[in-house]
Amino acid sequence: MSTPSITAAAHVRPTSATIADVAAVAGVSVATVSRALAGNYPVAAATRERVQHAVASLNYVPNANARALAGATTRTVGIIINDVADPFFAYIARGVERQASADGRLCLIMATNGDKERELALVDLLRERRTDAVILVGGASDDPAYRKQMAARARALDADGSVLVLCGRPSLGPGVPTKMVAYDNEGGAFAMTDYLISQGHRRILYIGGPSNFSTTASRLAGFNRALAARGIAEDPALVQQGAFGRPFGYTRMKEILATDLDFSAVFAANDVVAAGVLQALEEQGLRVPDDVSLVGYDDVPMANELRPRLTTVHVPLEDMGREAVRLGLADFSHDAGASSDDTLTVGTHIIIRDSVKPRS
Amino acid sequence: MSTPSITAAAHVRPTSATIADVAAVAGVSVATVSRALAGNYPVAAATRERVQHAVASLNYVPNANARALAGATTRTVGIIINDVADPFFAYIARGVERQASADGRLCLIMATNGDKERELALVDLLRERRTDAVILVGGASDDPAYRKQMAARARALDADGSVLVLCGRPSLGPGVPTKMVAYDNEGGAFAMTDYLISQGHRRILYIGGPSNFSTTASRLAGFNRALAARGIAEDPALVQQGAFGRPFGYTRMKEILATDLDFSAVFAANDVVAAGVLQALEEQGLRVPDDVSLVGYDDVPMANELRPRLTTVHVPLEDMGREAVRLGLADFSHDAGASSDDTLTVGTHIIIRDSVKPRS
DNA sequence: AAAATCGTAGTAAGCGGTTACTACAAAATC
DNA sequence: GATTTTGTAGTAACCGCTTACTACGATTTT
């Protein structure tokens, strides 16, 4: 780097100017510097100016770690998602970052890649950081052992004066101290399925999403409820679970096309799966929507770039992220007494584009 | 939350167990607890076990802020990007998160939304946090005042024992202590332009990217060099700068189509702009690639979902993020003496898909 | 003019860790 | 048996800030 040390010099970690240095230069006490900078205590104008000069001349910035240790907050929120580059998570993360930033917070982000053990470990890492809130995003496993462990962490965070916010995932059970921002997975799936049925489709293939995963379960529940409401029997062959992700949609659709399964529409568990399904269909010479209708879920930007443009369920991802932060920081807000609600549900609605046609 | 306080109770900030609590429970000194946990100093097996029991029973996790204050590192890297949800940045961020995580670091992420004042402020915020490295991603303004200010921050970070890593943006000048991971913008644009020319295109419209922005400048330079190499004169009317982003591509293309400008191919400054251009072309009844050829830059996943699938320049975004972290943490690695190189350039190459046809 | 009030600034006790230095049995060496 | 070495563990001094408490000259009040 810029300052090559003399060969014989012992390794000395370079350190920045401290508040004591500023105090020395300004000729005041450290308390005065702290106050001049914080502005929460009267300091004479002339003194304040001397301090500011010293700060500038030393290129001083306060040490946030020391500040966090002495003060009451780290001014940080943590967010745990599946994958930083997956648009579903990225849009929620954008909302989190924007709201956190608006609240003067910085944002620690980390990815689990779908590994629930790792998720637990990451929550612990965030607990070490003493973040003001930790936000857990996206569907969760329903494994009881895992749920128990996560509940324990929720209690620990609560005891530490932090909050665990669940964003788009189910409750950890009654009495477990968490806040939640939920969205209507079941209702969105119901509405979409009902729409497909209204277009004359009766054999609808539901594809994607891990089984025993909260998001999948809700969407599937809405799907089945819509079927039942219209008096259509469930057919296990028409429900193909497995994973989220484009490759899954592509591969599983290919496999199905190799069988003689009969269906006129496909409900993909999310838009990304739908993209994979679309490719498989295309490669088989099947046209969407003329030969088969296709819908997705989430309404990520890609849905609008696919051809045909994908009919899907809109989920206000960025808003969810914002709300998660609001909920998490509610205790820090001005009127600390005001008890905000602990859970908030955002709505979903279907967006009709070009990928569905009435069954001929 | 879970433990509603009794109405009259004074507000007491809940605090977590400390190392002193653990020491008391285990019946040892705090030093012993610290050592048992760090494992960098011999502790009798029996003692270690008592400590571990105490830790478990108290649900103790060490306070990372205190640790950072007393120790030498925060085990954190900071990354500053334009937009969390933009795939270009999201993929780089994914690389950063993954490598940081592999190195036992957490990742502070923040977005500038393209505001360079904000970018400067964010670097200061990161300096306060004493992160091990701060990574600045994406093209930068060439405004001299801005560059001067950023250079000052690079020096400050260096003096603090941190590093400023520039990822995909030009140097701040000789002597400014930074590390860099660069990619060959100029070369990629040259190769792509040359390819278009080889397909018979001579009037190529270059569209998108802010002027006086490093990324645009390099891509445009490659574009012009390819033209020159083939003896084609530059035509100012064929260079349409302005911004990145889908809306810009759409709007500007619409405007151009309202004129009688002649061109047979469009080189969009990036894939997202290309998506907007594609829509404008479509709406005008122009078919790609039959009526006009279209190419992009970056090779984000969306490029492969467009129809026609977009021919574009591949940039190894995730790798760039990983390398930025490697470079930034190089001083922390095992053999601290080994001076790794301060700058690294990753290659780009063109990906031929379906959006270009030879000019008829 | 004495007393009370006000505006400013300093002193020092934490916050929760790490680690250099010291202490002291038990084991090894002479 | 006396001395040195070794293995463990304790003491206490930081790291860089915030803030309760104290101090004190200048105004006001009585």
Side-chain angles (χ1 to χ4, degrees), chain A:
Chain A
M1 303 283 313
S2 67
T3 48
S5 53
I6 298 164
T7 338
H11 175 65
V12 178
R13 177 166 196 269
T15 60
S16 357
T18 71
I19 197 173
D21 299 330
V22 176
V25 169
V28 298
S29 72
V30 295
T32 301
V33 175
S34 177
R35 289 169 188 144
L37 264 32
N40 54 6
Y41 193 89
V43 171
T47 310
R48 184 193 319 283
E49 205 150 313
R50 291 224 307 289
V51 170
Q52 280 161 351
H53 277 28
V55 164
S57 79
L58 289 171
N59 220 333
Y60 168 81
V61 293
N63 182 322
N65 298 106
R67 204 175 250 201
L69 190 56
T73 155
T74 55
R75 300 201 80 74
T76 308
V77 310
I79 170 177
I80 300 178
I81 61 184
N82 235 304
D83 177 1
V84 174
D86 180 318
F88 175 86
F89 293 100
Y91 274 87
I92 291 180
R94 177 203 258 179
V96 169
E97 195 277 333
R98 289 186 171 172
Q99 185 62 43
S101 171
D103 288 344
R105 300 293 197 293
L106 256 38
C107 193
L108 278 167
I109 197 169
M110 36 218 325
T112 64
N113 301 310
D115 177 347
K116 54 183 194 281
E117 300 306 324
R118 181 160 174 69
E119 189 178 75
L120 291 165
L122 290 181
V123 174
D124 284 338
L125 244 31
L126 249 21
R127 202 149 87 77
E128 292 188 0
R129 301 311 247 246
R130 301 292 190 271
T131 56
D132 297 336
V134 359
I135 301 173
L136 232 42
V137 181
S141 160
D142 64 0
D143 172 36
Y146 157 82
R147 284 170 57 83
K148 193 155 301 176
Q149 301 226 58
M150 192 54 85
R153 280 163 178 77
R155 291 197 193 86
L157 282 166
D158 185 54
D160 290 358
S162 184
V163 203
L164 182 64
V165 183
L166 306 178
C167 183
R169 62 166 56 189
S171 165
L172 252 19
V176 182
T178 60
K179 300 200 176 188
M180 309 193 20
V181 10
Y183 63 113
D184 192 9
N185 262 317
E186 202 272 354
F190 176 88
M192 182 58 90
T193 308
D194 195 64
Y195 168 68
L196 287 171
I197 298 172
S198 78
Q199 298 297 302
H201 298 284
R202 312 218 104 219
R203 292 195 58 79
I204 305 169
L205 174 65
Y206 182 93
I207 185 170
S211 51
N212 66 48
F213 200 68
S214 61
T215 310
T216 314
S218 310
R219 292 181 186 180
L220 201 48
F223 176 77
N224 284 330
R225 181 162 66 87
L227 256 32
R230 298 277 204 151
I232 302 175
E234 292 180 22
D235 179 348
L238 287 176
V239 173
Q240 299 283 338
Q241 298 184 75
F244 285 122
R246 197 183 194 292
F248 176 78
Y250 177 78
T251 310
R252 180 59 61 89
M253 194 68 236
K254 279 279 198 187
E255 291 166 9
I256 292 168
L257 289 171
T259 71
D260 58 355
L261 188 65
D262 174 42
F263 59 88
S264 66
V266 180
F267 190 161
N270 68 19
D271 296 341
V272 179
V273 170
V277 168
L278 178 58
Q279 185 186 345
L281 256 17
E282 269 179 354
E283 290 183 5
Q284 208 70 15
L286 258 18
R287 290 162 308 162
V288 176
D290 307 84
D291 299 323
V292 16
S293 289
L294 172 66
V295 301
Y297 210 114
D298 292 344
D299 193 28
V300 296
M302 192 198 67
N304 199 37
E305 303 294 351
L306 296 176
R307 290 298 176 275
R309 292 155 61 239
L310 190 68
T311 290
T312 187
V313 179
H314 178 76
V315 180
L317 299 172
E318 187 173 333
D319 288 345
M320 289 175 62
R322 294 196 107 100
E323 292 304 336
V325 174
R326 282 220 183 85
L327 240 40
L329 297 182
D331 296 342
F332 285 88
S333 59
H334 329 292
D335 39 10
S339 74
S340 57
D341 245 355
D342 283 358
T343 142
L344 182 150
T345 304
V346 302
T348 57
H349 59 268
I350 70 178
I351 303 253
I352 297 180
R353 290 201 268 248
D354 313 328
S355 64
V356 173
K357 251 195 180 169
R359 179 159 174 248
S360 46

Side-chain angles (χ1 to χ4, degrees), chain B residues 123-140:
Chain B
V123 174
D124 284 337
L125 244 31
L126 249 21
R127 200 149 87 77
E128 292 188 0
R129 301 311 246 245
R130 300 293 190 274
T131 56
D132 297 336
V134 1
I135 301 173
L136 231 41
V137 182

